[in-house]
Amino acid sequence: MLDDLFDYLEHIRERPVWQPIPHEVRAAFDEPLPQRATELAVVHEAFMHKVLPYAVGNVHPGFMGWVHGGGTAVGMLAEMLAGGLNANVGGRDQMPVEVERQIVRWMRDLFGFPEGASGLFVTGTSMANLIGLLVARTSVLGEGARKEGLGPEGQRLLAYASAGSHASIAQAMDLCGLGTERLRLVPMNERFEMDIGALCQQLEADRQAGYRPFFIAATAGSVDVGAIDDLGALADIARAQGLWLHVDGACGALGMLAPDIAPRLKGIERADSIAFDFHKWGQVPYDAGFVLVRDGELHRRTFASQAAYLRRDARGLAGGSPWPCDFGPDLSRGFRALKAWFTIKTYGAQQLGAMISGTCELAQQLKRRIEATSQLELAAPVNLNIVCFRYRAANSDEVNAEIAAELQESGICAPSTTAIHGRLAIRAAIVNHRTTLEDIDALVATTLAMGEAAGRTRGGRGAMPRAGPGPAWKHTPMSSTRSES
Ligand SMILES: *Cc1c(COP(=O)(O)O)cnc(C)c1O
């Protein structure tokens, strides 16, 4: 199995990025509950032929859809070790908890947070955003809200995020009982950042109307275009008005590892909480979200149960309190910290930072290619590692949606689409450390071919380029055979 996966990673370029799932493959997973044992080798065989070839494709260097990390062989091996150890990292006195605490301390240092700050591995930034919001709720309503619910004061609370914020912010408002209507979506400026003037006006108007603003969710690396809100200005406003500043840095926050990107995150060190994913720019295998909270005691008081706390001991297995389960809703938790620890230790912060800068440099190269190609146009400024563009056409939305679908089905490269100012754009998010200039060239060339074909015969799929077995392509340092497999 290990050999199969090493081969998979080493020869990933020879495969299509993605391919549609044949009917019979999908149907094979509609069998009744197996009553009898099956040989492991047979189960493995089924995985190799029916699962592995039909994944999303985010390991592939041509994958540029949504915002997905590429993972590494190092992370895969750490997952194997974690699986064998089968640690339940909810608590108790064990080294796996210490590994997680080590990462909390590293992240505390990376983001300039104080010693009392807390951190926790979670599934992803969606959960980390929810935890940030819940701690903020404790800060404004006190722990009483855990027993009594939101109460009359809770009915007055309002939260703020940019119109470009991720849907998980609104979802967190829903899940914590405040309701999505209590989230003000502040308009963006021409750089797709939260418009600070508009925020101030909204805050003022809401106070006049009897509401109580309490929470700003800043975005560091927006999902559509990679925009970073003005974190310094938002930290000033939050301090002056006594608001909680949460940063959704799902992809962008780990830009702190890159010397050329870190200055653009200035102000993040003043946030009250930060949510981000090791599984995006950090290249740690899914899932590995993380939340960092400045006031660790407030964080603990938001989740810790008094009854559970009393059962802790000063010695023996039940020592070492507080435990990770005191900082989030999960009691049983896997050993996510190990794959992050292996990734950071094996590559080092410098190499991870260089890889992050490298994806932004590729985005700039793509931007220049688009600017130099008359058939293409940029749809948004290129801030970080995300490039939104269009093939110029009369019925632009239709043609570009078709091009994006054709690109995905071609198996050559897989961007996704988004709406920019109400118009559809092809979005290439370069998150995978394996992506190189050749992939950028392939994206541009294939887009042009698809665009021409779409113009000639709408829906004429026969003439579209398709991926085939190719040469063993050059690898970036992080994915070289030596360092990755
Ligand atoms: C990906 C993303 C999220 C959600 O993170 P998950 O790990 O998928 O839960 C939230 N915000 C932004 C800006 C993102 O890019």
Side-chain angles (χ1 to χ4, degrees):
M1 289 180 196
L2 271 176
D3 282 342
D4 280 345
L5 267 295
F6 284 134
D7 287 347
Y8 175 73
L9 294 176
E10 191 173 346
H11 299 290
I12 189 71
R13 280 185 177 278
E14 294 156 31
R15 295 175 167 272
V17 179
W18 175 83
Q19 53 187 329
I21 307 168
H23 173 72
E24 60 279 13
V25 170
R26 208 184 289 271
F29 282 74
D30 196 22
E31 62 174 354
L33 178 71
Q35 301 295 336
R36 292 173 189 282
T38 310
E39 282 290 328
L40 176 59
V42 174
V43 181
H44 175 213
E45 194 67 11
F47 168 82
M48 290 306 293
H49 292 113
K50 300 200 174 86
V51 178
L52 178 138
Y54 306 106
V56 156
N58 51 304
V59 168
H60 196 289
F63 187 90
M64 301 169 192
W66 301 273
V67 178
H68 279 36
T72 65
V74 167
M76 174 182 87
L77 292 170
E79 281 282 70
M80 179 189 75
L81 300 180
L85 198 57
N86 193 25
N88 178 350
V89 193
R92 282 166 271 277
D93 203 16
Q94 55 171 329
M95 272 318 282
V97 170
E98 292 301 336
V99 173
E100 184 157 346
R101 287 179 181 145
Q102 165 74 94
I103 297 199
V104 172
R105 287 190 290 273
W106 284 342
M107 293 305 110
R108 211 153 69 187
D109 290 348
L110 182 66
F111 291 102
F113 268 39
E115 214 166 279
S118 51
L120 187 75
F121 272 93
V122 289
T123 40
T125 292
S126 302
M127 178 58 85
N129 284 336
L130 174 61
I131 289 178
L133 181 62
L134 287 168
V135 183
R137 191 191 68 176
T138 307
S139 83
V140 69
L141 295 180
E143 279 170 81
R146 294 181 61 191
K147 270 195 233 138
E148 295 141 23
L150 296 173
E153 192 58 22
Q155 305 304 319
R156 294 173 54 226
L157 295 180
L158 281 181
Y160 299 77
S162 113
S165 65
H166 191 265
S168 59
I169 301 290
Q171 189 202 39
M173 292 292 288
D174 165 2
L175 293 177
C176 82
L178 287 163
T180 54
E181 284 182 5
R182 293 303 160 86
L183 175 66
R184 298 285 194 234
L185 289 179
V186 180
M188 296 180 280
N189 63 21
E190 71 287 351
R191 292 184 303 279
F192 295 82
E193 301 159 1
M194 195 193 299
D195 183 325
I196 300 293
L199 170 69
C200 292
Q201 279 173 15
Q202 185 74 54
L203 283 165
E204 182 57 30
D206 287 334
R207 279 190 215 280
Q208 298 275 332
Y211 287 109
R212 182 170 177 193
F214 85 111
F215 184 82
I216 301 175
T219 300
S222 68
V223 70
D224 281 332
V225 302
I228 304 173
D229 287 342
D230 186 340
L231 303 178
L234 292 176
D236 288 341
I237 292 167
R239 181 170 300 169
Q241 304 198 18
L243 311 175
W244 185 277
L245 178 63
H246 173 80
V247 175
D248 174 354
C251 183
L254 283 181
M256 288 299 282
L257 292 166
D260 55 333
I261 296 167
R264 297 168 56 195
L265 293 163
K266 188 105 193 78
I268 201 168
E269 73 286 351
R270 294 163 63 196
D272 294 294
S273 51
I274 306 174
F276 64 94
D277 284 323
F278 283 104
H279 58 223
K280 288 181 175 172
W281 247 353
Q283 311 297 336
V284 172
Y286 282 84
D287 48 28
F290 197 83
V291 62
L292 191 67
V293 179
R294 173 176 302 278
D295 183 342
E297 181 51 21
L298 195 65
H299 185 185
R300 192 189 63 78
R301 285 199 281 116
T302 301
F303 292 98
S305 123
Q306 204 57 40
Y309 221 61
L310 292 175
R311 290 197 300 271
R312 307 291 163 77
D313 298 327
R315 47 181 289 213
L317 248 173
S321 216
W323 294 345
C325 67
D326 299 322
F327 295 90
D330 294 318
L331 178 56
S332 294
R333 310 167 63 246
F335 196 1
R336 294 189 184 99
L338 191 68
K339 56 195 172 184
W341 186 79
F342 260 80
T343 302
I344 296 169
K345 288 282 282 185
T346 306
Y347 295 109
Q350 277 181 12
Q351 197 176 179
L352 290 170
M355 172 271 300
I356 284 170
S357 299
T359 62
C360 294
E361 178 50 34
L362 283 178
Q364 290 300 325
Q365 304 257 24
L366 175 55
K367 176 190 161 193
R368 289 196 280 276
R369 293 274 200 289
I370 290 163
E371 286 171 337
T373 307
S374 59
Q375 297 95 315
L376 303 177
E377 64 180 8
L378 276 179
V382 180
N383 291 294
L384 288 175
N385 57 333
I386 299 180
V387 183
C388 293
F389 65 99
R390 292 189 194 93
Y391 186 84
R392 292 182 202 265
N395 42 354
S396 167
D397 279 14
E398 236 178 287
V399 168
N400 281 285
E402 192 174 318
I403 291 173
E406 289 287 354
L407 288 170
Q408 292 169 4
E409 288 172 7
S410 76
I412 297 169
C413 49
S416 49
T417 61
T418 189
I420 305 284
H421 297 312
R423 287 180 61 204
L424 188 129
I426 299 174
R427 184 188 61 163
I430 301 152
V431 189
N432 189 334
H433 62 94
R434 298 182 186 90
T435 304
T436 65
L437 203 49
E438 285 97 315
D439 301 294
I440 300 300
D441 289 340
L443 171 67
V444 172
T446 318
T447 302
L448 290 175
M450 300 292 184
E452 275 162 37
R456 269 201 316 272
T457 52
R458 302 297 308 284
R461 282 155 195 236
M464 300 294 179
R466 285 284 183 273
W473 294 57
K474 244 187 12 250
H475 286 258
T476 53
M478 256 196 77
S479 60
S480 71
T481 307
R482 181 185 55 79
S483 60
E484 185 169 68
S485 21

